[in-house]
Amino acid sequence: EEITGDLTSAFPGRTTEETKLKTDLLHGAFGTRSWKAVENMDLPNLKAGREKLRGLIEAEKSKPKKEAK
């Protein structure tokens, strides 16, 4: 729940672009886009992945925003 909370808090939208971004971040942190696979990970991997995810979220949020067309 904390991992989904981190993603939802940072990127609350449900657009196609935001959904892809969240799955890309999940893959970058845990090596999978599958929530089920993340749920089945052991605690050390979850902790390490969550820390990596937080770093990826901060990096993504610090990128310049794209202008609407």
Side-chain angles (χ1 to χ4, degrees), residues 1 4 8 10 13 16 20-21 23 25-26 28 32 34 38-39 41 45-46 49 51-52 56-59 62 66 69:
E1 289 180 13
T4 58
T8 303
T16 303
K20 182 182 181 322
L21 173 60
T23 59
L25 292 170
L26 191 72
T32 183
S34 166
V38 173
E39 289 173 351
M41 289 183 177
N45 283 323
L46 286 171
E51 287 305 310
K52 188 169 185 180
L56 292 170
I57 288 170
E58 288 306 312
S62 69
K66 292 181 182 176
K69 292 182 180 181

Side-chain angles (χ1 to χ4, degrees), residues 3-48:
I3 293 166
T4 58
D6 289 342
L7 285 169
T8 303
S9 177
F11 308 103
R14 292 182 174 222
T15 65
T16 303
E17 184 177 301
E18 286 174 309
T19 299
K20 182 182 181 322
L21 173 60
K22 288 185 254 190
T23 59
D24 288 348
L25 292 170
L26 191 72
H27 184 263
F30 295 97
T32 183
R33 288 179 167 78
S34 166
W35 282 112
K36 194 61 145 175
V38 173
E39 289 173 351
N40 290 322
M41 289 183 177
D42 60 17
L43 189 57
N45 283 323
L46 286 171
K47 286 183 175 183

